[in-house]
Amino acid sequence: MEAGLAARSDNDGRTVMLLAFSGGGTRAAALSYGVLEALRNREIVIDGQRRRLLDEVDVITGVSGGSFTALSYALLGERLFSEYEGRFLKRDVQGALIARAMNPLNWPKLVGGSYGRSELAADYYDEILFEGATFGDLLSRGAPLAFVAGTDLSTGARIEFSQSMFDVMCSNLLAVRLSRAAATSSAVPIALSPVTFDNYGGTCGFEFHPRAVYEISNPSTRPRPAERAMMRLREYRDLERGTERPFIHVVDGGVADNLGLRAVIEALEILEASPAIRRLVGLDRVERIAIIVVNAHAAPNVDWDHSESPPGFVTQIVQASGVPIDRYSYESVQLIKDTVDRWHMQSELQMQRTRADPSMRDGPDDRRLNIALFAIDVSFQSIADPEERRYFMNLPTSLALPPDAIDRLRRVAAELLEASPEFNAFVQDLGRH
């Protein structure tokens, strides 16, 4: 995330607010849209001025189904709330994609080369939603930064649509169509084809050597290296081998990170480890960071354990690929919560040291330790009513849902957000100014 966690210049600079939209097809797109609606409707007074919480959002990450909402809001802004349902959410996108793939007129394009079913999907997304817009078209817009990601089919590394990653590949993100990014992030293996990107890494003189490398790996300043961040740096450097890897084939971002949280976790780890990076991104002014995780994970009811015969081959393949993703997503949420606990503990220790020795108040790490960190989880698991929870957990992962399901997803998103103790603690803290 090239902007790190630095806040936008057109909202409260003391608050950094991030939204992470998970994968899950239209189910995820509608749930994340409901959260945007809820933030738009929730107002708060900051420094005597009434503002919408939506205007405090600085960064949105999106994966697979969630990438459509993230990119659409970045492009359409306020128009999203009058157009998104009709143009995408309540449209049979899946049926249209199947019809195009079955149309003999499209078969010549699908034979050989890198133009596959996902490229066909990208063209359709342009027709109904993105209208040929590129990342360059987002530069002049006041919407939050939007980051979506896919998965490198060869290495399993996360491929972000960020200029820092495209710099490593000696390429220009600004020319990439939003529709192609969404198609990449939602390119479910087998059902859809990988999206291929040219890699010119190592040919333009660019080398990825961030300032934080020494600090996050120096044993004299840390008990152990910030290994997640170090692994990410190794993945970046792997892309510099453009002569060995001239083509990068990318599939659904949910394979590597179905919550869009890994970049946030790595950024928090770097900020914790590196005073230089904290100063660079302006954390000396930040008082609170809120991360709203919109998790559309579903778990359809199955009856396999009532039969001596195991499920069929296709079912086994689907389950075998889905379970690790779900487990990995659960661990990502727990890592964020662990980080919250650790920051709170460090803040308490810093306050105790300051009371014991007031001269430590202006120390270089004082601002970091006094940043409040809020992790807000919006997921079906939090629904109290068993029947309602079962309904949402059984919604399919597809790009077509009935209109009434879309409406229910929007409503439950707002209900879950407003019922979250962490969300209300964040709003209360934000309203103190």
Side-chain angles (χ1 to χ4, degrees), residues 37-38 69 183 287 303-304 325 364-365 417:
E37 286 185 307
T69 306
E287 297 178 4
D303 59 358
W304 306 330
I325 291 174
D365 290 337
L417 186 65

Side-chain angles (χ1 to χ4, degrees), residues 52-347:
R52 306 179 306 176
L53 275 181
L54 182 62
D55 298 323
E56 298 305 314
V57 176
D58 301 290
V59 178
I60 304 177
T61 67
V63 178
S64 197
S67 69
F68 290 96
T69 306
L71 291 173
S72 295
Y73 180 54
L75 177 67
L76 300 175
E78 283 297 309
R79 289 171 53 199
L80 182 86
F81 302 103
S82 60
E83 300 179 18
Y84 191 49
E85 283 186 73
R87 296 176 68 170
F88 184 77
L89 290 180
K90 293 185 176 180
R91 185 189 291 262
D92 184 3
V93 174
Q94 185 161 300
L97 292 179
I98 292 173
R100 292 194 173 209
M102 298 296 291
N103 187 340
L105 296 177
N106 291 322
W107 292 352
K109 293 187 290 186
L110 299 175
V111 177
S114 62
Y115 189 100
R117 295 183 301 280
S118 291
E119 297 286 4
L120 196 68
D123 292 341
Y124 177 65
Y125 301 151
D126 262 334
E127 292 179 22
I128 66 172
L129 189 58
F130 296 113
E131 300 175 345
T134 66
F135 280 92
D137 294 318
L138 301 183
L139 288 180
S140 61
R141 300 182 183 276
L145 295 173
F147 295 92
V148 302
T151 302
D152 186 332
L153 187 59
S154 297
T155 67
R158 192 176 68 253
I159 300 294
E160 292 173 357
F161 286 85
S162 64
Q163 189 55 59
S164 60
M165 175 150 279
F166 274 66
D167 282 341
V168 176
M169 295 191 294
C170 294
S171 190
N172 179 21
L173 174 69
L174 302 184
V176 176
R177 289 181 297 148
L178 302 183
S179 62
R180 200 161 186 249
T184 303
S185 189
S186 58
V188 179
I190 301 176
L192 291 163
S193 60
V195 179
T196 302
F197 293 87
D198 295 330
N199 181 21
Y200 307 103
T203 65
C204 61
F206 179 87
E207 290 185 277
F208 187 76
H209 295 298
R211 295 173 57 181
V213 172
Y214 174 75
E215 290 181 301
I216 65 179
S217 60
N218 184 4
S220 67
T221 58
R222 288 185 57 80
R224 65 175 181 82
E227 288 294 347
R228 292 187 197 91
M230 291 299 294
M231 179 179 179
R232 188 60 177 158
L233 297 180
R234 289 192 290 270
E235 291 173 349
Y236 267 67
R237 286 179 176 149
D238 180 66
L239 289 174
E240 292 180 340
R241 301 185 292 111
T243 54
E244 300 173 39
R245 304 188 63 204
F247 304 104
I248 307 299
H249 306 289
V250 189
V251 296
D252 193 309
V255 176
D257 173 20
N258 199 45
L259 292 182
L261 268 185
R262 303 308 292 191
V264 177
I265 292 170
E266 291 158 6
L268 291 175
E269 186 169 35
I270 290 175
L271 292 172
E272 240 184 315
S274 172
I277 295 297
R278 292 196 297 273
R279 291 189 293 270
L280 181 66
V281 301
L283 276 196
D284 56 321
R285 298 176 57 239
V286 174
E287 297 178 4
R288 66 191 64 80
I289 298 174
I291 303 165
I292 301 179
V293 183
V294 185
N295 184 2
H297 164 68
N301 295 332
V302 296
D303 59 358
W304 306 330
D305 298 336
H306 295 120
S307 172
E308 182 180 355
S309 301
F313 174 75
V314 174
T315 301
Q316 291 181 51
I317 293 294
V318 172
Q319 185 73 353
S321 61
V323 168
I325 291 174
D326 295 337
R327 295 283 181 177
Y328 191 58
S329 297
Y330 173 81
E331 291 298 325
S332 296
V333 173
Q334 298 311 308
L335 282 172
I336 288 288
K337 292 181 178 179
D338 289 344
T339 302
V340 171
D341 291 340
R342 189 168 63 251
W343 281 33
H344 286 172
M345 185 180 301
Q346 290 173 340
S347 179

Side-chain angles (χ1 to χ4, degrees), residues 383-403:
I383 298 175
D385 182 80
E387 287 300 319
E388 186 179 21
R389 183 170 62 251
R390 188 175 298 111
Y391 168 81
F392 288 108
M393 296 292 274
N394 278 276
L395 287 175
T397 300
S398 68
L399 287 177
L401 287 176

